[in-house]
């Protein structure tokens, strides 16, 4: 499934696809330490080439991709890459936890979904032979349970009907058109296609590689999308009525915890580009682990980098001294030619000296509470105003109610104001599970005779803690005994930036030999865009080495060396 960068097949917009990005739930358990031997590409090494030393701070999508592409782009230049991460796993915000603490039951805790136009991720899936699944593939898919609805706290603004067997795109589209008319959905699809098409130019010359993100955004023709709120961008493009607030906003909320009055137009379009949404079985982190393996980098997990220092007046003015603190508290100081910071600067607790000409601005991030839990109970129809006995749709997205929608406090708000009276961004039934830990009738350890209990795995996104009392309520229970929650896991993320409209972005070059990937997050915050920036920085570095090598070769030739 390698994607051709030229032949861009853009998303088929259906309501089915709308939900894809949000409700992926894969997982795995974070990897253990993973060290690799250094293997400089030494065969064709020229006598005057010295092995470049590159440090990468962060083993998420950005850092892993930087390592992977640097190894590819380095060509004959020998290079040793060292990746540091404070966490003891590879993947950063792409990580999993194990349901029932069972390693065969991983579930995504962070980034869940990527889509067919995510070239770097899709190509890596193919190269590393990873197994992917469609976003609804693992859903219970029980008879007469609608796949999706949008809830505003008192009523369903939209409900997609159950169709025999499985979701059918034509039906989804028919339902969409029936409810909203053809204009808004069709215009949205067209706008999304043209916006994504512009973005994809950033992968190719002449735009790639780019040393200024602000400039490339302008050159790609995307400033009009980033400089407006989603609301303004949609109105300017003739997309009005309830379709944006019912459905597009449900999508920006589940993906980014933000409403259309705040999030910029480009990220709004990203939320609609959901064609071919998938996740990697076992966890999306496998992509990044594969990249790190392929890069042959040395990986130092559980190791925090505290400072990077360069002495412009010293004997090695271009060399960075990096100080790191290993898992046993050991402090190591080492020299590097290039250092890549692949984490938001504001969360890295990194001291950089000399002082940067432009320190990345601190920007607000969305504090997102992710609550995973299992129970044999179904979601309570009465909580959602449905008759007793009705089944609640598998995925509940949310939007503001009409009163809140009229108020900027909510449409432009953050956190509790953004979520409004509904109180959560989404609740989804990820899959059915069998809980073998609770098998009073048949406590056998034999796989074939164990019966276990049929349960559902749910995931809630909310801006504040989703309390036990709230969990009981949505399960229609009054007590813990009634709720029968057999396993739960809570995580608070600084998930992604509040994507306010903007026209300038943090650049990838911080200083000579000091590079930054996370500026791309206020442009688009996804695994793919972090990977794109990792690839971009790798290419910029490789180009510099190439220029340096040419100069040295010229000098050697001219001096008969
Ligand atoms: C709940 C949630 C859902 C999401 N859903 C999706 C989705 O469905 N699809 C999608 O594409 N994106 C999604 N995202 C966004 C996506 O996860 C991020 O945009 C992307 O993973 C960022 O990757 P990164 O490598 O830039 O940063 P990170 O993944 O944050 O990696 C940075 C790493 O740097 C390390 N680090 C920081 N400072 C130091 C230091 N001083 N020393 C050593 N190590 C350091 C950190 O420990 C971290 O591991 C989601 C995010 C969250 C939280």
């Amino acid at each position: 499934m390698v994607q051709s960068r030229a032949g861009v097949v853009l998303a088929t917009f259906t309501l089915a696809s709308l939900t894809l990005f949000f409700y992926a739930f894969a997982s795995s358990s974070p990897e253990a330490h993973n060290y690799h031997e250094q293997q400089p590409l030494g065969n064709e090494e020229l006598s005057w080439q010295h092995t470049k030393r590159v440090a990468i701070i962060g083993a998420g999508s950005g850092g892993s991709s930087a390592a992977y592409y640097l190894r590819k782009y380095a060509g004959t230049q020998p290079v040793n890459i060292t990746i540091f991460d404070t966490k003891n796993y590879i993947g950063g915000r792409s990580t999993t936890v194990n349901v029932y603490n069972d390693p065969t039951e991983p579930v995504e805790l962070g980034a869940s979904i990527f889509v067919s136009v995510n070239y770097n991720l899709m190509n890596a899936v193919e190269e590393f032979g990873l197994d992917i699944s469609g976003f609804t593939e693992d859903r219970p898919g029980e008879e007469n349970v609608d796949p999706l609805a949008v809830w505003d706290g008192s009523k369903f603004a939209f409900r997609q009907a159950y169709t025999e067997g499985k979701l059918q795109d034509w039906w989804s589209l028919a339902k969409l058109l029936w409810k909203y008319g053809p204009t808004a959905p069709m215009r949205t699809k067209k706008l999304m296609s043209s916006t994504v098409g512009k973005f994809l130019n950033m992968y190719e010359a002449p735009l790639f590689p780019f040393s200024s993100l602000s400039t490339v955004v302008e050159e790609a023709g995307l400033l009009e999308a980033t400089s407006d709120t989603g609301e303004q961008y949609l109105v300017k493009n003739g997309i009005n009525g309830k379709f944006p607030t019912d459905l597009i906003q449900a999508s920006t909320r589940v993906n980014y915890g933000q409403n259309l009055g705040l999030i910029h137009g480009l990220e709004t379009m990203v939320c609609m580009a959901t064609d071919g949404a998938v996740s990697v079985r076992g966890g999306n982190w496998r992509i990044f682990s594969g990249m790190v393996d392929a890069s042959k980098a040395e990986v130092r997990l559980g190791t925090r980098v505290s400072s990077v220092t360069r002495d412009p007046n010293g004997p090695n003015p271009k060399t960075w001294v990096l100080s790191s603190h290993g898992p046993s508290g050991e402090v190591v100081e080492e020299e590097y030619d290039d250092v890549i910071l692949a984490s938001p600067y504001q969360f890295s607790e990194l001291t950089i000296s000399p002082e940067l000409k432009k320190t990345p601005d601190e920007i607000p991030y969305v504090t997102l509470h992710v609550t995973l839990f299992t129970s044999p109970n179904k979601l309570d129809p009465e909580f959602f105003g449905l008759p007793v006995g009705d089944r609640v749709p598998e995925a509940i997205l949310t939007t503001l109610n009409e009163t809140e929608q009229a108020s900027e406090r909510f449409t432009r708000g953050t956190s509790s104001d953004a979520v409004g009276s509904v109180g959560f961004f989404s609740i989804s039934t990820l899959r059915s599970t069998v809980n073998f830990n609770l098998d009073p009738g048949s406590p056998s350890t034999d796989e074939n005779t164990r019966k276990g209990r049929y349960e559902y795995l749910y995931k809630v996104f909310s801006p504040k803690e989703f309390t036990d009392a709230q969990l009981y309520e949505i399960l229609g229970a009054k007590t813990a005994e009634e709720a029968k929650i057999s396993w739960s896991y809570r995580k608070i993320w600084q998930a992604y930036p509040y994507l306010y409209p903007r026209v300038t972005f943090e650049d990838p070059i911080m200083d000579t030999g000091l590079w930054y990937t996370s500026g791309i997050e206020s442009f688009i915050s996804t695994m793919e865009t972090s990977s794109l920036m990792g690839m971009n920085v790798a290419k910029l570095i490789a180009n510099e080495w190439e220029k340096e090598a040419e100069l040295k070769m010229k000098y050697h030739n001219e001096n008969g060396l």
Side-chain angles (χ1 to χ4, degrees):
M1 210 209 272
V2 174
Q3 304 293 311
S4 138
R5 288 182 186 168
V8 175
V9 182
L10 291 169
T12 303
F13 179 74
T14 67
L15 182 56
S17 66
L18 241 183
T19 59
L20 296 181
F21 182 27
F22 339 144
Y23 290 96
F25 333 99
S27 57
S28 82
S29 40
E31 278 231 312
H33 286 56
N34 187 359
Y35 294 94
H36 303 281
E37 283 175 22
Q38 295 292 313
Q39 293 189 5
L41 301 178
N43 291 348
E44 309 88 346
E45 185 176 343
L46 300 170
S47 58
W48 43 264
Q49 278 185 312
H50 91 263
T51 299
K52 293 286 187 185
R53 303 151 300 177
V54 179
I56 300 177
I57 306 169
S61 171
S64 309
S65 301
Y68 172 76
Y69 285 101
L70 193 58
R71 179 64 68 195
K72 283 197 170 204
Y73 293 143
T76 59
Q77 169 64 56
V79 51
N80 281 352
I81 305 169
T82 310
I83 305 178
F84 299 84
D85 205 301
T86 46
K87 304 272 169 28
N88 64 355
Y89 64 85
I90 290 172
R93 274 169 274 169
S94 306
T95 190
T96 51
V97 288
N98 297 324
V99 180
Y100 310 131
N101 303 320
D102 175 351
T104 66
E105 288 277 4
V107 60
E108 291 288 3
L109 186 62
S112 302
I113 291 289
F114 54 101
V115 296
S116 58
V117 291
N118 289 167
Y119 297 144
N120 288 6
L121 303 186
M122 285 296 188
N123 287 339
V125 161
E126 166 132 332
E127 181 177 337
F128 307 136
L130 300 173
D131 192 12
I132 50 177
S133 58
F135 95 109
T136 52
E137 223 173 291
D138 292 340
R139 295 264 183 89
E142 290 168 337
E143 206 174 338
N144 293 323
V145 181
D146 291 353
L148 170 85
V150 180
W151 172 246
D152 77 359
S154 61
K155 65 175 187 319
F156 285 113
F158 183 85
R159 198 165 162 179
Q160 186 180 24
Y162 169 81
T163 53
E164 213 65 75
K166 63 186 190 97
L167 273 178
Q168 292 183 18
D169 289 351
W170 66 267
W171 174 247
S172 312
L173 194 58
K175 177 77 192 270
L176 205 68
L177 299 181
W178 170 79
K179 175 135 194 207
Y180 298 102
T183 314
M186 288 302 141
R187 282 188 183 159
T188 304
K189 180 188 169 191
K190 208 167 145 214
L191 184 61
M192 180 274 295
S193 297
S194 86
T195 314
V196 172
K198 288 176 189 170
F199 161 72
L200 292 172
N201 289 328
M202 288 171 61
Y203 287 77
E204 289 183 330
L207 298 190
F208 181 87
F210 43 92
S211 51
S212 162
L213 184 55
S214 304
T215 307
V216 79
V217 170
E218 189 175 0
E219 286 170 353
L222 288 167
L223 269 189
E224 57 173 0
T226 65
S227 59
D228 276 340
T229 63
E231 193 173 72
Q232 292 163 334
Y233 190 58
L234 293 170
V235 169
K236 275 188 188 167
N237 285 282
I239 300 161
N240 304 297
K242 297 284 285 172
F243 182 71
T245 49
D246 283 1
L247 286 172
I248 304 180
Q249 185 160 273
S251 176
T252 60
R253 288 163 65 87
V254 69
N255 281 308
Y256 291 109
Q258 302 163 53
N259 294 309
L260 288 173
L262 186 159
I263 194 168
H264 61 59
L266 180 64
E267 198 75 283
T268 303
M269 289 297 108
V270 168
C271 294
M272 310 313 289
T274 52
D275 189 46
V278 290
S279 46
V280 173
R281 286 208 181 276
N284 293 327
W285 60 267
R286 289 173 187 274
I287 294 178
F288 309 117
S289 177
M291 286 181 165
V292 168
D293 282 349
S295 78
K296 301 189 173 14
E298 180 188 334
V299 184
R300 300 205 201 145
L301 299 176
T303 303
R304 185 172 78 83
V305 177
S306 57
S307 67
V308 286
T309 308
R310 181 173 71 84
D311 182 358
N313 304 313
N316 299 314
K318 287 187 174 172
T319 301
W320 289 94
V321 177
L322 180 144
S323 179
S324 65
H325 302 248
S328 323
E330 70 277 18
V331 179
V332 179
E333 293 210 332
E334 290 154 312
E335 293 190 339
Y336 290 93
D337 299 294
D338 290 274
V339 177
I340 302 171
L341 175 57
S343 163
Y345 173 72
Q346 66 196 69
F347 301 133
S348 69
E349 296 176 32
L350 188 67
T351 306
I352 300 176
S353 171
E355 198 179 324
L356 297 172
K357 282 197 187 107
K358 165 77 181 75
T359 302
D361 291 333
E362 186 165 342
I363 54 173
Y365 267 66
V366 174
T367 302
L368 184 74
H369 290 244
V370 175
T371 309
L372 289 158
F373 65 101
T374 51
S375 166
N377 292 357
K378 300 175 176 76
L379 296 177
D380 179 24
E382 284 186 85
F383 180 90
F384 293 99
L386 299 172
V388 178
D390 257 23
R391 289 295 302 272
V392 175
E394 275 182 339
I396 308 283
L397 310 189
T398 64
T399 193
L400 298 172
N401 65 35
E402 275 154 30
T403 315
E404 290 161 344
Q405 195 58 51
S407 157
E408 286 188 2
R409 176 183 151 202
F410 297 99
T411 56
R412 299 194 180 175
T414 59
S415 189
S416 298
D417 284 339
V419 80
S421 55
V422 72
F424 57 90
F425 295 118
S426 61
I427 296 178
S428 46
T429 316
L430 305 190
R431 60 182 189 243
S432 57
T433 56
V434 180
N435 185 350
F436 290 113
N437 300 330
L438 292 174
D439 185 12
S442 172
S444 166
T445 52
D446 177 351
E447 288 290 333
N448 299 319
T449 55
R450 286 196 302 172
K451 289 201 189 84
R453 184 167 84 179
Y454 186 86
E455 299 187 341
Y456 300 96
L457 171 61
Y458 298 102
K459 189 184 218 176
V460 181
F461 282 174
S462 55
K464 299 272 179 219
E465 182 187 348
F466 206 74
T467 62
D468 285 351
Q470 287 174 295
L471 293 181
Y472 301 166
E473 203 185 348
I474 58 165
L475 293 171
K478 291 199 173 54
T479 60
E481 289 70 38
E482 282 177 26
K484 300 188 182 111
I485 293 172
S486 54
W487 173 87
S488 65
Y489 193 96
R490 287 185 161 94
K491 167 82 184 168
I492 308 171
W493 289 103
Q494 292 303 303
Y496 13 68
Y498 279 104
L499 291 139
Y500 289 101
R502 56 189 293 162
V503 294
T504 58
F505 302 88
E506 302 295 347
D507 285 334
I509 305 173
M510 292 176 120
D511 193 353
T512 311
L514 185 61
W515 311 85
Y516 187 48
T517 63
S518 298
I520 201 155
E521 280 204 61
S522 48
F523 168 66
I524 298 174
S525 178
T526 58
M527 294 182 281
E528 175 68 17
T529 38
S530 280
S531 175
L532 169 62
M533 193 49 123
M535 175 171 88
N536 181 59
V537 163
K539 186 67 177 161
L540 292 173
I541 294 175
N543 284 355
E544 283 205 349
W545 291 346
E546 210 176 299
K547 269 190 234 149
E548 195 182 297
E550 276 166 16
L551 283 176
K552 279 189 183 164
M553 192 182 289
K554 200 168 159 225
Y555 177 82
H556 278 245
N557 289 344
E558 282 172 4
N559 293 284
L561 299 171

